[in-house]
Each structure stands twice: as C-alpha cells, then as structure tokens.
Amino acid sequence: MGAMLGQRDDSGKKERAIYFLSKKFNECEARYLVIERTCCGLVWVTRRLRQYMLYYTTWLISRVDPLKYIFESPHIVGRVLKWQVVLSEYDIKHVMQKSVKEESCDEGNNEEQEWEMYFDGAANMHGNGVGVVIVSPEGKQFPVAIKLEFDCTNNITEYEACVNGLRAAITLGIRCLKVFSDSALIIHQVTGEWRTRDVKLIPYQELLVDLIKQFKVVSFHHLTRDKNCFTDALATLAAMIQLDCGVHVQPIQVEARSFPAYCLNVEEDREEYPWF
C-alpha cells in the first residue's frame, strides 16, 4: 500500500506533498478483503503520521470509505475493534461523504443570531462530570458544570454533556446554534455519518433528535482537543469536586495577569531597602 500526506497552500487550490509512505502487506494481511486492506493501511498510516494528524482535520481520499466500514460494520471482529480504538482519536473525513447543510439566521434579532456551544465530558477515578460553555453572538460566555453521580463510560459523559448543553441553550431561548466538541464519535453519530450500535447510547441519540427539533438551525462540528480546553477543565472540576445536595456554587471569575504578584509589593516609605 502507498499513502501521501499533502497540505493545501494559502490559496486553498494547490496541494503540496509533505510525506510519502509505502508498506508491503504480510501474508496474513494480503488475504484481507480490499476494504479491509484499506482499513489496515489507514491505521498503519495514522500511527506514523500521528504528530501531523492529531490536532487537525484530515481529508481521506480513497476509492472506498474505510471509516464507514470500521464504525458501521455489523460483524465486529478482533481487528475491526482494534481499528476503531485507534481511529477514534483522530478527526478524519472521507471526501465523498455528504456535508451538513447550514441555513442562515436573521441577524436582526438577538435570539435569531447564531450562538456557539462547546461541550466535553470527563470520567476518571474521582467521578464523572460534564462541562458546557455557551457563547453569545457578543462573546459573553455562560459556563455549565454538572457532576454525574452514576456510572458512566466516556461516551456516555460526552452525550450527557451534549444533552444538558442543548437543554441550557433551549432555556436561554436560543434558536440558532453551532455545537463544537473534540469527540469525533459523538459528532459523527449525531450528524448521522456513523451509526450508533451501543445500546447504552441509542436512547441518548433519540433524545438529541427531539432536542434538535426545538431549534431553527443547529449544526455540529468537530473541534481539536487543544481548542476545547476550557470545557474539559469544567468537566474535570465537576467530576472531582465533592458537593452536598442542593449546594449552589457561584460562577468562577477568571482573571488574566501579565506579571507575578510580588512585582508591585513595595513599601514606598522605606527607601533604605533596595528595589527589585
């Protein structure tokens, strides 16, 4: 198999080759079906180009769609499950897949203007939590952090974050919303590109369909992990904090300082001491 990693120039029209890879299949891999050999090659490429692909969206150009086969295969054998785990870390899109059409919103009405929502979930040894940040058209942020006091998988926390974020947006009277998350699995399942087979996730997806109907326009977009740090911090805080029932925590004010605290700690009336 052969692969090439390319990048478009600033004009967006010309492509420049960055990396070439080639591999000879072993005897076992050579007996795979054509689609399975494509999947095997894609996984092999992602492992060697991880530093290029991890923080960016990658367009996959191939004659067949290996992502659809891997994430929608009715027969999950050992190697397919292994490929799922490896590829779920990346944001890869097959160029032949249909893109979601977005309608425009009326900019004259504040409720009709487009808002943004970022969500993330956290599941660790301390607990489970979700974090959501809703951003108004003027840039005002509305953070939401919820502690989940029941057993969750990572994917369940992501769905809980999305559901509770949409409910908060509905409460605010938002009609047009762009949703962002670093979970490629959740985003592609919500948009219908990937099929949901986990019985624990199917009710969440059905609930999301009902919530989406309450918006005039809503679209879902994948976000790299480094651009979703704040919601990740909120989710981690909610998972780790210990609260009594009914306790309301005031919003956290985050300030920015460009100098350390001791810089202005000077007593002006004591000139005998040197200044630093």
Side-chain angles (χ1 to χ4, degrees):
M1 56 81 59
M4 182 199 75
L5 177 69
Q7 185 180 45
R8 289 188 174 181
D9 61 6
D10 295 335
S11 66
K13 298 180 180 179
K14 295 183 179 180
E15 294 181 351
R16 294 176 293 183
I18 297 177
Y19 217 105
F20 291 92
L21 291 169
S22 61
K23 175 186 183 298
K24 183 177 181 180
F25 291 115
N26 57 37
E27 294 183 3
C28 179
E29 294 169 341
R31 293 193 293 268
Y32 290 172
L33 301 174
V34 175
I35 180 64
E36 290 182 333
R37 289 201 298 269
T38 305
C39 298
C40 180
L42 176 61
V43 171
W44 181 82
V45 167
T46 58
R47 287 173 172 170
R48 281 147 185 81
L49 300 179
R50 188 173 188 272
Q51 69 273 23
Y52 294 98
M53 300 177 59
L54 188 60
Y55 299 109
Y56 300 94
T57 298
T58 304
W59 288 3
L60 173 64
I61 303 175
S62 62
R63 287 177 293 180
V64 293
D65 185 0
L67 299 175
K68 185 175 182 180
Y69 174 80
I70 292 175
F71 288 96
E72 296 186 9
S73 177
H75 306 291
I76 305 297
V77 296
R79 58 176 176 267
V80 177
L81 182 60
K82 183 178 180 181
W83 294 338
Q84 282 185 355
V85 174
V86 174
L87 295 179
S88 62
E89 188 177 11
Y90 304 94
D91 181 21
I92 305 174
K93 294 183 178 179
H94 193 266
V95 295
M96 299 303 294
Q97 290 181 344
K98 296 180 180 179
S99 59
V100 179
K101 296 182 179 179
E102 300 179 13
E103 303 177 15
S104 60
C105 292
D106 180 14
E107 297 182 356
N109 187 341
N110 186 54
E111 291 184 355
E112 296 294 318
Q113 292 184 30
E114 193 171 58
W115 292 54
E116 295 181 352
M117 187 187 90
Y118 301 80
F119 71 88
D120 198 7
N124 53 50
M125 61 181 296
H126 301 285
N128 308 304
V130 301
V132 179
V133 177
I134 300 176
V135 184
S136 71
E138 296 78 19
K140 186 177 181 180
Q141 299 187 5
F142 299 86
V144 178
I146 301 174
K147 183 177 181 64
L148 305 177
E149 296 184 333
F150 53 88
D151 294 334
C152 298
T153 64
N154 286 328
N155 288 335
I156 288 179
T157 61
E158 297 285 354
Y159 267 107
E160 285 281 345
C162 186
V163 167
N164 285 282
L166 292 180
R167 284 174 171 170
I170 293 172
T171 302
L172 291 173
I174 298 171
R175 297 281 293 159
C176 301
L177 186 66
K178 290 182 71 174
V179 182
F180 298 89
S181 174
D182 57 22
S183 172
L185 180 67
I186 303 300
I187 295 299
H188 291 311
Q189 286 183 349
V190 172
T191 57
E193 297 177 29
W194 295 353
R195 188 177 303 173
T196 305
R197 295 187 177 278
D198 190 339
V199 294
K200 296 180 181 179
L201 301 183
I202 292 177
Y204 282 105
Q205 193 172 32
E206 293 175 348
L207 175 58
L208 283 177
V209 172
D210 293 334
L211 293 175
I212 290 172
K213 293 178 182 178
Q214 301 186 46
F215 295 89
K216 179 180 179 181
V217 179
V218 61
S219 59
F220 293 84
H221 309 269
H222 183 263
L223 193 70
T224 54
R225 193 172 301 174
D226 60 317
K227 296 180 181 179
N228 203 31
C229 296
F230 187 57
T231 53
D232 177 63
L234 280 177
T236 304
L237 175 64
M240 297 182 65
I241 196 171
Q242 299 296 327
L243 293 175
D244 296 329
C245 294
V247 175
H248 178 71
V249 179
Q250 294 295 328
I252 301 174
Q253 181 178 357
V254 180
E255 298 180 354
R257 296 288 177 88
S258 60
F259 50 84
Y262 62 80
C263 281
L264 302 180
N265 188 21
V266 177
E267 298 181 16
E268 296 182 4
D269 58 342
R270 306 187 66 176
E271 296 290 346
E272 67 271 16
Y273 290 100
W275 287 48
F276 296 94

mmCIF file of all heavy atoms in Angstrom, residues 100-102 166 175-179 211-213 215-221:
data_model
loop_
_atom_site.group_PDB
_atom_site.id
_atom_site.type_symbol
_atom_site.label_atom_id
_atom_site.label_comp_id
_atom_site.label_asym_id
_atom_site.label_seq_id
_atom_site.Cartn_x
_atom_site.Cartn_y
_atom_site.Cartn_z
ATOM 1 N N VAL A 100 -23.091 18.516 5.989
ATOM 2 C CA VAL A 100 -24.343 19.002 6.563
ATOM 3 C C VAL A 100 -24.605 20.414 6.071
ATOM 4 O O VAL A 100 -23.762 21.294 6.178
ATOM 5 C CB VAL A 100 -24.267 18.987 8.104
ATOM 6 C CG1 VAL A 100 -25.554 19.511 8.692
ATOM 7 C CG2 VAL A 100 -23.983 17.576 8.584
ATOM 8 N N LYS A 101 -25.767 20.652 5.506
ATOM 9 C CA LYS A 101 -26.122 21.976 5.023
ATOM 10 C C LYS A 101 -26.560 22.846 6.192
ATOM 11 O O LYS A 101 -27.306 22.417 7.057
ATOM 12 C CB LYS A 101 -27.251 21.898 3.987
ATOM 13 C CG LYS A 101 -26.855 21.153 2.708
ATOM 14 C CD LYS A 101 -28.001 21.157 1.722
ATOM 15 C CE LYS A 101 -27.601 20.431 0.433
ATOM 16 N NZ LYS A 101 -28.716 20.413 -0.541
ATOM 17 N N GLU A 102 -26.088 24.084 6.178
ATOM 18 C CA GLU A 102 -26.409 25.012 7.245
ATOM 19 C C GLU A 102 -27.248 26.153 6.685
ATOM 20 O O GLU A 102 -26.933 26.743 5.669
ATOM 21 C CB GLU A 102 -25.130 25.583 7.865
ATOM 22 C CG GLU A 102 -24.237 24.493 8.463
ATOM 23 C CD GLU A 102 -22.984 25.095 9.040
ATOM 24 O OE1 GLU A 102 -22.951 26.333 9.179
ATOM 25 O OE2 GLU A 102 -22.057 24.354 9.352
ATOM 26 N N LEU A 166 -27.615 21.401 25.266
ATOM 27 C CA LEU A 166 -28.750 21.783 24.426
ATOM 28 C C LEU A 166 -29.934 22.239 25.280
ATOM 29 O O LEU A 166 -30.647 23.181 24.912
ATOM 30 C CB LEU A 166 -29.152 20.621 23.526
ATOM 31 C CG LEU A 166 -28.157 20.231 22.422
ATOM 32 C CD1 LEU A 166 -28.707 19.064 21.610
ATOM 33 C CD2 LEU A 166 -27.855 21.410 21.511
ATOM 34 N N ARG A 175 -32.186 30.051 19.270
ATOM 35 C CA ARG A 175 -32.816 29.416 18.116
ATOM 36 C C ARG A 175 -31.797 28.904 17.099
ATOM 37 O O ARG A 175 -32.063 27.940 16.404
ATOM 38 C CB ARG A 175 -33.756 30.421 17.439
ATOM 39 C CG ARG A 175 -34.912 30.868 18.311
ATOM 40 C CD ARG A 175 -35.996 29.828 18.330
ATOM 41 N NE ARG A 175 -36.616 29.706 17.012
ATOM 42 C CZ ARG A 175 -37.298 28.632 16.595
ATOM 43 N NH1 ARG A 175 -37.418 27.586 17.391
ATOM 44 N NH2 ARG A 175 -37.846 28.605 15.396
ATOM 45 N N CYS A 176 -30.655 29.563 16.988
ATOM 46 C CA CYS A 176 -29.615 29.174 16.029
ATOM 47 C C CYS A 176 -28.344 28.850 16.803
ATOM 48 O O CYS A 176 -27.853 29.680 17.567
ATOM 49 C CB CYS A 176 -29.347 30.281 15.026
ATOM 50 S SG CYS A 176 -30.798 30.751 14.058
ATOM 51 N N LEU A 177 -27.802 27.656 16.593
ATOM 52 C CA LEU A 177 -26.708 27.185 17.437
ATOM 53 C C LEU A 177 -25.703 26.379 16.630
ATOM 54 O O LEU A 177 -26.071 25.527 15.816
ATOM 55 C CB LEU A 177 -27.270 26.325 18.579
ATOM 56 C CG LEU A 177 -26.292 25.850 19.648
ATOM 57 C CD1 LEU A 177 -25.751 27.038 20.442
ATOM 58 C CD2 LEU A 177 -26.961 24.855 20.592
ATOM 59 N N LYS A 178 -24.430 26.655 16.864
ATOM 60 C CA LYS A 178 -23.333 25.845 16.331
ATOM 61 C C LYS A 178 -22.700 25.104 17.503
ATOM 62 O O LYS A 178 -22.282 25.730 18.478
ATOM 63 C CB LYS A 178 -22.287 26.706 15.626
ATOM 64 C CG LYS A 178 -22.756 27.313 14.311
ATOM 65 C CD LYS A 178 -21.662 28.126 13.641
ATOM 66 C CE LYS A 178 -20.571 27.210 13.099
ATOM 67 N NZ LYS A 178 -19.572 27.976 12.307
ATOM 68 N N VAL A 179 -22.645 23.784 17.426
ATOM 69 C CA VAL A 179 -22.169 22.946 18.522
ATOM 70 C C VAL A 179 -20.788 22.408 18.171
ATOM 71 O O VAL A 179 -20.568 21.900 17.062
ATOM 72 C CB VAL A 179 -23.150 21.788 18.793
ATOM 73 C CG1 VAL A 179 -22.660 20.948 19.963
ATOM 74 C CG2 VAL A 179 -24.548 22.325 19.061
ATOM 75 N N LEU A 211 -34.439 17.078 20.843
ATOM 76 C CA LEU A 211 -33.971 18.398 21.269
ATOM 77 C C LEU A 211 -33.609 19.270 20.067
ATOM 78 O O LEU A 211 -33.869 20.481 20.068
ATOM 79 C CB LEU A 211 -32.763 18.251 22.198
ATOM 80 C CG LEU A 211 -33.024 17.603 23.557
ATOM 81 C CD1 LEU A 211 -31.721 17.418 24.320
ATOM 82 C CD2 LEU A 211 -33.999 18.444 24.380
ATOM 83 N N ILE A 212 -33.015 18.664 19.056
ATOM 84 C CA ILE A 212 -32.604 19.419 17.872
ATOM 85 C C ILE A 212 -33.804 20.046 17.173
ATOM 86 O O ILE A 212 -33.709 21.136 16.604
ATOM 87 C CB ILE A 212 -31.813 18.496 16.916
ATOM 88 C CG1 ILE A 212 -30.442 18.154 17.530
ATOM 89 C CG2 ILE A 212 -31.623 19.136 15.548
ATOM 90 C CD1 ILE A 212 -29.672 17.104 16.760
ATOM 91 N N LYS A 213 -34.952 19.383 17.236
ATOM 92 C CA LYS A 213 -36.158 19.892 16.582
ATOM 93 C C LYS A 213 -36.630 21.209 17.186
ATOM 94 O O LYS A 213 -37.410 21.931 16.560
ATOM 95 C CB LYS A 213 -37.277 18.857 16.686
ATOM 96 C CG LYS A 213 -37.012 17.573 15.900
ATOM 97 C CD LYS A 213 -38.150 16.577 16.097
ATOM 98 C CE LYS A 213 -37.885 15.277 15.352
ATOM 99 N NZ LYS A 213 -38.966 14.280 15.571
ATOM 100 N N PHE A 215 -34.806 23.776 17.768
ATOM 101 C CA PHE A 215 -34.002 24.874 17.235
ATOM 102 C C PHE A 215 -34.404 25.157 15.789
ATOM 103 O O PHE A 215 -34.853 24.266 15.066
ATOM 104 C CB PHE A 215 -32.515 24.539 17.292
ATOM 105 C CG PHE A 215 -31.970 24.383 18.682
ATOM 106 C CD1 PHE A 215 -31.993 23.155 19.323
ATOM 107 C CD2 PHE A 215 -31.421 25.471 19.354
ATOM 108 C CE1 PHE A 215 -31.489 23.004 20.599
ATOM 109 C CE2 PHE A 215 -30.921 25.337 20.627
ATOM 110 C CZ PHE A 215 -30.954 24.099 21.258
ATOM 111 N N LYS A 216 -34.215 26.394 15.382
ATOM 112 C CA LYS A 216 -34.425 26.741 13.982
ATOM 113 C C LYS A 216 -33.291 26.191 13.130
ATOM 114 O O LYS A 216 -33.515 25.602 12.066
ATOM 115 C CB LYS A 216 -34.519 28.261 13.824
ATOM 116 C CG LYS A 216 -34.704 28.717 12.383
ATOM 117 C CD LYS A 216 -34.779 30.235 12.290
ATOM 118 C CE LYS A 216 -34.928 30.678 10.838
ATOM 119 N NZ LYS A 216 -34.974 32.169 10.737
ATOM 120 N N VAL A 217 -32.059 26.398 13.588
ATOM 121 C CA VAL A 217 -30.864 25.900 12.898
ATOM 122 C C VAL A 217 -29.889 25.405 13.948
ATOM 123 O O VAL A 217 -29.616 26.098 14.929
ATOM 124 C CB VAL A 217 -30.183 27.008 12.050
ATOM 125 C CG1 VAL A 217 -28.929 26.452 11.378
ATOM 126 C CG2 VAL A 217 -31.136 27.557 11.013
ATOM 127 N N VAL A 218 -29.364 24.202 13.774
ATOM 128 C CA VAL A 218 -28.329 23.666 14.645
ATOM 129 C C VAL A 218 -27.382 22.820 13.804
ATOM 130 O O VAL A 218 -27.822 22.058 12.942
ATOM 131 C CB VAL A 218 -28.936 22.845 15.811
ATOM 132 C CG1 VAL A 218 -29.720 21.660 15.287
ATOM 133 C CG2 VAL A 218 -27.842 22.394 16.775
ATOM 134 N N SER A 219 -26.104 22.995 14.021
ATOM 135 C CA SER A 219 -25.098 22.231 13.286
ATOM 136 C C SER A 219 -24.036 21.758 14.261
ATOM 137 O O SER A 219 -23.798 22.376 15.306
ATOM 138 C CB SER A 219 -24.471 23.080 12.176
ATOM 139 O OG SER A 219 -23.864 24.248 12.707
ATOM 140 N N PHE A 220 -23.404 20.638 13.930
ATOM 141 C CA PHE A 220 -22.406 20.018 14.802
ATOM 142 C C PHE A 220 -21.066 19.974 14.083
ATOM 143 O O PHE A 220 -20.989 19.596 12.907
ATOM 144 C CB PHE A 220 -22.857 18.612 15.204
ATOM 145 C CG PHE A 220 -24.078 18.593 16.082
ATOM 146 C CD1 PHE A 220 -25.341 18.654 15.525
ATOM 147 C CD2 PHE A 220 -23.966 18.535 17.463
ATOM 148 C CE1 PHE A 220 -26.481 18.652 16.325
ATOM 149 C CE2 PHE A 220 -25.086 18.529 18.273
ATOM 150 C CZ PHE A 220 -26.346 18.592 17.706
ATOM 151 N N HIS A 221 -20.005 20.323 14.830
ATOM 152 C CA HIS A 221 -18.673 20.421 14.237
ATOM 153 C C HIS A 221 -17.653 19.805 15.185
ATOM 154 O O HIS A 221 -17.727 19.980 16.406
ATOM 155 C CB HIS A 221 -18.298 21.878 13.961
ATOM 156 C CG HIS A 221 -19.344 22.626 13.186
ATOM 157 N ND1 HIS A 221 -19.340 22.700 11.822
ATOM 158 C CD2 HIS A 221 -20.451 23.314 13.604
ATOM 159 C CE1 HIS A 221 -20.376 23.408 11.409
ATOM 160 N NE2 HIS A 221 -21.073 23.789 12.478
#
